[in-house]
Amino acid sequence: MSVTPIQPRALTDLESGVITKLLATSRAGAHDYLRQIPYAQVVATWGIGSPSVDLAVPAEVVAASDSTDGIFASAAVTDRGGAPIGEVILWVEHGRLSGIEYAWYTDERPQALPEPSQIEVL
């Protein structure tokens, strides 16, 4: 993976929607991460044209009670017919949102994150 730093920017509605969908779980800490969404910023992309991004949450924002580093949530992505086309992964570090990864199973790299309606949280 090649990370390309960018000028920090607010999350798009799509990015916020994907994170919200991934956090639609009763897992400990999910509510804490949901509260970080308004403060999270995109600080890098995973290469030019990649829909995957690195996130940063300011230090003054309260960290999640579940401060395990790594994958916090993942879910399948399906096409309109219900066939699997990829997965989205929510990464966390030190109790803060740290990345959204879109891994695809198709031949063509997607240009954007999937719509939340395509995400099946298990």
Side-chain angles (χ1 to χ4, degrees):
M1 161 185 76
S2 173
V3 175
T4 304
I6 62 169
Q7 181 68 33
R9 63 165 176 79
L11 298 177
T12 64
D13 289 342
L14 180 57
E15 290 161 344
S16 294
V18 167
I19 294 170
T20 300
K21 182 74 177 231
L22 287 167
L23 293 173
T25 175
S26 59
R27 181 173 173 186
H31 186 69
D32 295 336
Y33 289 116
L34 279 170
R35 288 193 300 233
Q36 294 178 7
I37 292 173
Y39 307 101
Q41 292 190 312
V42 174
V43 295
T45 65
W46 292 19
I48 296 172
S50 174
S52 300
V53 294
D54 281 351
L55 306 174
V57 175
E60 62 270 11
V61 175
V62 176
S65 57
D66 176 1
S67 61
T68 303
D69 291 351
I71 297 172
F72 184 81
S74 63
V77 177
T78 59
D79 65 14
R80 291 188 176 142
I85 58 171
E87 63 183 299
V88 285
I89 301 165
L90 182 63
W91 292 88
V92 298
E93 188 173 316
H94 306 297
R96 291 181 169 72
L97 299 170
S98 66
I100 308 168
E101 179 179 356
Y102 186 7
W104 63 95
Y105 306 152
T106 58
D107 292 335
E108 298 286 324
R109 176 171 71 181
Q111 298 300 308
L113 291 171
E115 290 297 324
S117 62
Q118 293 179 269
I119 298 171
E120 294 183 14
V121 178
L122 304 174

